[in-house]
Amino acid sequence: MTMIIDCHGHFTTVPKSFRDWRTKQVEFADDPVNAPKVSEGAILTDDQIREGIEGGQLKLQQERGSDLTLFSPIAGLMSHHLGNERTSLEWARVSNDNVKRVTELYPDNFVPVCQLPQSPGAPPANSVPELRRCVEELGFVGVNVNPDPTGGYWTGKPFTDREWYPLFEAMCDLDVPGMVHVAASCNPNFHGTGAHYLNADTSVFMQILQSDLFKDFPTLRLVIPHGGGAVPYHWGRYRGMSLEMMDRPLEGLLDNIFFDTCVYHLPGIELLTKVIPTGNVLFGSEMIGAVRGRDPDTGEYFDDTKKYVDQLPLSPEDKAKIFEGNARRVYPRLDALLKARGL
C-alpha cells in the first residue's frame, strides 16, 4: 500500500505567545541585555504543542488521508529581514527545536525539516553550523533555504552565486535536499504568498537555468514549491531560452530539480503533471498555510491537494511515485528513517 507523504508542511498553529516572543525579540534586537530570554516563551510546552497540532495539522492530515508530513517552522515567520544575525540564529534554533519536539510527540505523523539562521548581507556559510546541528544531532531530513533574506527586495546575490557554495557543499555532504522557500515579504509591492512566494520560485529556476550550478554540484537536489511558480506554465519559454542562452536542453535540470503539488485547483495540477515528468513531482499540500478556506463552487478546501492528485488520469505506478516514491528518493534520510521503522 502506498504511503501518502506530504513534503510541504509548516508549524503554522503555534500559540500566540510564541509569536509575541518573536515580536519582542525583534524589538530588542539591538539591546540584548533587555531582550527576552529563550525561557520566557520561546520553548513551547508539550500541552501547547498538542493544542496547536491536534486541532490543526494532525486533524486535517487524518481527515484528508495523508500519512506523514515533512514538517518545518512557519515559512512566513522565518522573517530573515527582521532583527540581525544574532537574533536570526536564536530564532532559527528555537523554531527548529520546537519542530523537533513536534516530531518526538508525533513520530508517526511528522518528520523534521529545518530553517536556517539567514540574515541580509550575512554569508550563507554562516548558516552551515545550524544545518549540521539539525541534521547530525537532531535527525532532520531536509532544509528550507531562503534565496532572498531581504524579504522581497532582492538586494543580495543570485542563488547561484559562489557565495552560496559553502551551504550547497554542506547540503551535498549531509545528503539533504533544500526546499527553495522565501519568508514574509516586507516589500509592499509583493504580497507574501500571492506574489513573493511565486516570484521566488520562478526567479530561482531562471537563475539556475543561466548557471552551471549542477555541474559544480551534481548531487544537489532542490525542491521548488508551489508547483514551481510560473515554470510549468511557461515551460516552452524556458526550453527556448535554455537552448539559446546555454546551448543545452532544459530537461537536464530535472536530474536535480523537483516540484511539489501545492497548486490549489485541479487544472493547475493537471498542467503540472502534463509538463513535468511524474518522477519530478512530490505530493505537497502546505496545509495549514497559504489558503485556508473552501472553494464555494465545490465546498472543498483549496489546500486539500490530495483530492486533485487522486483525480489525475495517471497510472497507479505514477501516483505512487508522486505520493511516496519520489519523496523517499529525494529525501534519502527520510527513506532511511522509514526503513528503520520497517516501512
Side-chain angles (χ1 to χ4, degrees):
M1 179 180 254
T2 300
M3 177 180 287
I4 311 299
I5 300 174
D6 186 340
C7 76
H8 191 166
H10 301 295
F11 192 4
T12 54
T13 54
V14 293
K16 181 178 180 297
S17 60
F18 186 63
R19 296 173 183 266
D20 291 342
W21 185 91
R22 170 60 169 169
T23 299
K24 190 174 181 182
Q25 185 215 29
V26 172
E27 180 182 354
F28 290 93
D30 298 321
D31 183 9
V33 172
N34 293 305
K37 296 180 175 59
V38 169
S39 59
E40 298 173 342
I43 301 300
L44 304 181
T45 67
D46 287 355
D47 286 343
Q48 285 177 313
I49 290 174
R50 291 190 182 98
E51 182 179 358
I53 292 295
E54 293 184 5
Q57 281 94 342
L58 183 61
K59 177 176 180 288
L60 292 178
Q61 184 190 81
Q62 294 169 341
E63 288 179 354
R64 298 178 185 183
S66 61
D67 298 305
L68 188 70
T69 300
L70 300 188
F71 205 57
S72 63
I74 310 173
L77 211 58
M78 292 191 299
S79 297
H80 293 120
H81 60 284
L82 297 177
N84 52 44
E85 194 169 2
R86 179 190 64 79
T87 57
S88 288
L89 175 58
E90 183 178 57
W91 180 236
R93 288 182 67 94
V94 297
S95 297
N96 290 330
D97 287 347
N98 282 326
V99 162
K100 174 60 177 176
R101 289 180 52 238
V102 170
T103 67
E104 290 173 336
L105 288 172
Y106 304 94
D108 295 332
N109 303 97
F110 302 99
V111 173
V113 170
C114 64
Q115 78 175 52
L116 296 175
Q118 298 176 251
S119 190
N126 292 4
S127 291
V128 170
E130 176 63 7
L131 172 64
R132 289 195 173 276
R133 181 185 81 94
C134 287
V135 175
E136 295 176 328
E137 299 178 24
L138 302 181
F140 282 59
V141 303
V143 57
N144 290 341
V145 185
N146 185 351
D148 173 36
T150 68
Y153 283 96
W154 292 90
T155 61
K157 294 179 181 178
F159 193 63
T160 50
D161 187 86
R162 296 191 72 86
E163 78 165 12
W164 289 90
Y165 276 29
L167 178 61
F168 297 153
E169 288 168 0
M171 290 165 61
C172 291
D173 179 53
L174 295 168
D175 204 14
V176 293
M179 178 171 281
V180 180
H181 207 309
V182 289
S185 171
C186 60
N187 186 331
N189 292 290
F190 303 115
H191 182 272
T193 55
H196 184 41
Y197 281 15
L198 307 183
N199 292 345
D201 303 333
T202 308
S203 297
V204 167
F205 184 86
M206 186 64 202
Q207 290 171 6
I208 293 171
L209 183 155
Q210 295 174 271
S211 77
D212 287 320
L213 180 64
F214 297 135
K215 284 186 179 179
D216 293 334
F217 297 100
T219 62
L220 180 66
R221 298 180 304 282
L222 299 173
V223 179
I224 299 185
H226 320 114
V231 173
Y233 188 72
H234 288 286
W235 193 252
R237 177 185 296 255
Y238 294 115
R239 287 189 70 221
M241 286 193 291
S242 185
L243 292 169
E244 292 174 3
M245 298 171 62
M246 302 300 293
D247 194 26
R248 68 186 180 198
L250 181 66
E251 287 74 12
L253 298 183
L254 294 177
D255 292 338
N256 304 83
I257 292 181
F258 304 85
F259 303 82
D260 73 14
T261 63
C262 293
V263 180
Y264 292 160
H265 66 153
L266 179 59
I269 289 186
E270 288 176 331
L271 172 70
L272 173 67
T273 53
K274 284 181 179 180
V275 173
I276 304 300
T278 52
N280 290 79
V281 179
L282 282 66
F283 172 66
S285 72
E286 203 182 356
M287 71 92 180
I288 306 169
V291 180
R292 302 190 179 205
R294 295 177 183 265
D295 185 338
D297 292 339
T298 65
E300 305 288 349
Y301 285 101
F302 283 103
D303 62 357
D304 187 358
T305 56
K306 181 177 180 295
K307 289 188 175 181
Y308 308 140
V309 178
D310 286 338
Q311 295 176 67
L312 294 175
L314 298 175
S315 68
E317 292 77 17
D318 281 340
K319 287 185 179 180
K321 288 180 184 178
I322 292 173
F323 281 132
E324 178 181 7
N326 294 339
R328 295 181 73 142
R329 178 166 55 89
V330 175
Y331 292 81
R333 288 178 178 269
L334 168 66
D335 186 53
L337 176 66
L338 295 176
K339 287 178 176 175
R341 296 177 180 177
L343 299 171

